[in-house]
């Protein structure tokens, strides 16, 4: 008698291609980790796929295997690829209501400390670092504050440390600053020249820029405020939990944690370590005794 169709049919050509691409992506990410010690294995795979697709066009590679060969054998390729693998999209005073909540709800409590340490994790090119420095200056707290700004991208860190931004971005920065409850004019904090602005050295004197990976590195100081916004959305659940554990361990007694508007402690293994403080702006406070 004729045999019935088998339950396990051979995969279609497009399924094979997709499966091969998944294997290539995993091998490339593993190669980057073992060769350069940058760990993207816990990043959301869909997001990595989009970014690597753009990288293929830039490097004129047909496959991720070709790109992996170049990454391993041409030392000039990986620094350029890192620009695709790390997200550098931000504005000063992005989501003004977040900074307004810090100003109105968190700053009054920060005033009770004789000195302050703030960690901006995943600082990219520095927009949030300068925003926080200006806010703290306006509230009379910057002189007693040290802001640690960390990222895994050395090019982004150098850009952040320079304090230089394109003049074309300043109108949006200025509007955000005003909406965040800014006191006075943003222009009092920078000098404009040749189509760019340079933020005052007096702000940078309170900043420490350093390479730090939320995937592989550990806590390095006790903080009163950790601000890590629009970074966790690019991590898978396991890496999110690792990062949140670092923030919990870094925060002092009753310290504050700020996340991005699309991020939350919900479903995290560290939910019970924090109280909602300003829930609509994703600001949390570490519970007593932890």
């Amino acid at each position: 008698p004729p045999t019935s169709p088998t339950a396990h049919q051979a995969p279609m050509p497009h399924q094979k291609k997709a499966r091969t691409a998944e294997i290539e992506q995993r091998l490339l990410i593993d190669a980057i980790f073992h060769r350069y010690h940058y760990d993207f294995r816990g990043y959301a795979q869909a997001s990595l796929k989009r970014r690597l697709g753009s990288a293929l066009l830039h490097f004129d590679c047909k496959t991720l295997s070709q790109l992996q060969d170049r990454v391993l054998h041409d030392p000039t390729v990986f620094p350029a690829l890192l620009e695709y693998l790390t997200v550098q999209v931000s504005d000063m005073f992005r989501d003004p209501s977040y900074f307004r909540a810090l100003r109105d709800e968190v700053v009054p409590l920060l005033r009770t400390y004789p000195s302050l340490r703030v960690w901006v994790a995943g600082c990219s090119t520095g927009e949030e670092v300068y925003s926080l420095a200006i806010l703290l200056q306006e509230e009379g707290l910057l002189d007693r504050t040290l802001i640690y700004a960390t990222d895994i991208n050395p090019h982004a860190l150098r850009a952040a440390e320079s304090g230089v931004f394109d003049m074309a971005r300043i109108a949006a920065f200025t509007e955000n600053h005003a909406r965040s409850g800014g006191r006075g004019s943003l222009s009092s904090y920078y000098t404009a020249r040749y189509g760019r602005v340079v933020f005052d050295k007096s702000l940078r004197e309170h900043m420490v820029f350093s390479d730090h990976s939320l995937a592989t590195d550990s806590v390095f100081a006790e903080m009163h405020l950790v601000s890590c916004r629009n970074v966790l959305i690019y991590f898978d659940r396991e890496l999110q939990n690792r990062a949140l554990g670092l923030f919990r361990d870094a925060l002092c007694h009753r310290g504050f944690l700020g996340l991005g508007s699309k991020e939350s402690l919900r479903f995290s293994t560290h939910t019970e370590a924090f109280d909602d403080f300003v829930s609509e702006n994703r600001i949390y406070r570490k519970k007593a005794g932890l």
Side-chain angles (χ1 to χ4, degrees):
T3 57
S4 59
T6 60
H8 301 287
Q9 296 180 345
M12 301 293 288
H14 70 276
Q15 293 173 320
K16 280 185 172 181
K17 186 175 181 181
R19 177 60 180 153
T20 299
E22 289 176 9
I23 294 170
E24 287 183 307
Q25 179 168 312
R26 187 166 64 249
L27 291 173
L28 172 59
I29 296 305
D30 282 345
I32 288 170
F33 174 68
H34 291 293
R35 177 69 175 80
Y36 296 100
H37 311 295
Y38 281 79
D39 193 352
F40 293 98
R41 295 174 299 176
Y43 281 53
Q45 294 304 301
S47 177
L48 278 177
K49 181 180 179 181
R50 289 192 298 271
R51 288 184 249 167
L52 287 171
S54 298
L56 285 176
L57 294 174
H58 173 80
F59 291 104
D60 195 25
C61 292
K62 289 185 170 57
T63 67
L64 291 178
S65 293
Q66 290 181 0
L67 181 57
Q68 177 182 320
D69 183 72
R70 294 185 61 186
V71 165
L72 289 175
H73 296 102
D74 184 346
T76 67
V77 170
F78 179 66
L81 177 60
L82 192 59
E83 300 300 307
Y84 288 89
L85 294 177
T86 56
V87 179
Q88 296 151 42
V89 180
S90 190
D91 281 314
M92 287 190 68
F93 297 95
R94 181 182 181 180
D95 300 323
S97 62
Y98 171 78
F99 289 93
R100 188 62 183 253
L102 289 180
R103 191 186 299 270
D104 294 344
E105 306 295 336
V106 177
V107 162
L109 294 165
L110 295 181
R111 289 188 196 284
T112 64
Y113 295 97
S115 63
L116 295 168
R117 286 178 298 277
V118 175
W119 179 13
V120 181
C123 71
S124 186
T125 48
E127 289 86 346
E128 181 154 338
V129 184
Y130 288 91
S131 301
L132 284 170
I134 289 169
L135 185 154
L136 292 167
Q137 174 69 13
E138 291 176 339
E139 299 299 327
L141 292 177
L142 187 59
D143 284 346
R144 63 172 109 158
T145 301
L146 192 58
I147 303 175
Y148 295 87
T150 65
D151 203 275
I152 64 169
N153 186 326
H155 180 264
L157 283 170
R158 287 193 295 271
E161 192 164 8
S162 74
V164 177
F165 299 93
D166 288 338
M167 176 68 83
R169 305 180 67 193
I170 290 298
F173 291 177
T174 301
E175 180 182 351
N176 287 346
H177 173 248
R179 290 174 57 203
S180 75
R183 307 181 192 280
S185 172
L186 187 66
S187 62
S188 63
Y189 295 100
Y190 64 78
T191 303
R193 61 182 70 159
Y194 308 115
R196 295 192 170 187
V197 303
V198 183
F199 278 85
D200 291 348
K201 183 180 178 182
S202 61
L203 298 174
R204 297 199 297 278
E205 288 173 347
H206 297 273
M207 302 172 184
V208 176
F209 293 90
S210 180
D211 177 272
H212 183 276
S213 170
L214 295 173
T216 58
D217 293 331
S218 57
V219 171
F220 55 89
E222 187 178 61
M223 303 292 168
H224 300 87
L225 167 65
V226 174
S227 190
C228 182
R229 305 177 65 238
N230 308 300
V231 175
L232 299 184
I233 54 174
Y234 299 107
F235 293 174
D236 65 18
R237 182 60 53 80
E238 183 178 353
L239 185 51
Q240 288 176 0
N241 283 327
R242 185 188 196 279
L244 290 168
L246 289 179
F247 302 153
R248 179 203 63 203
D249 293 343
L251 283 169
C252 68
H253 174 75
R254 302 294 281 151
F256 297 94
L257 171 65
L259 301 179
S261 60
K262 295 183 174 67
E263 298 165 334
S264 172
L265 290 179
R266 187 180 301 174
F267 308 123
S268 161
T269 56
H270 302 287
T271 303
E272 298 303 316
F274 292 90
D275 293 316
D276 285 347
F277 191 72
V278 186
S279 57
E280 63 270 26
N281 292 116
R282 303 298 195 271
I283 298 174
Y284 305 90
R285 193 175 190 188
K286 186 176 176 180
K287 287 184 177 178
L290 294 176

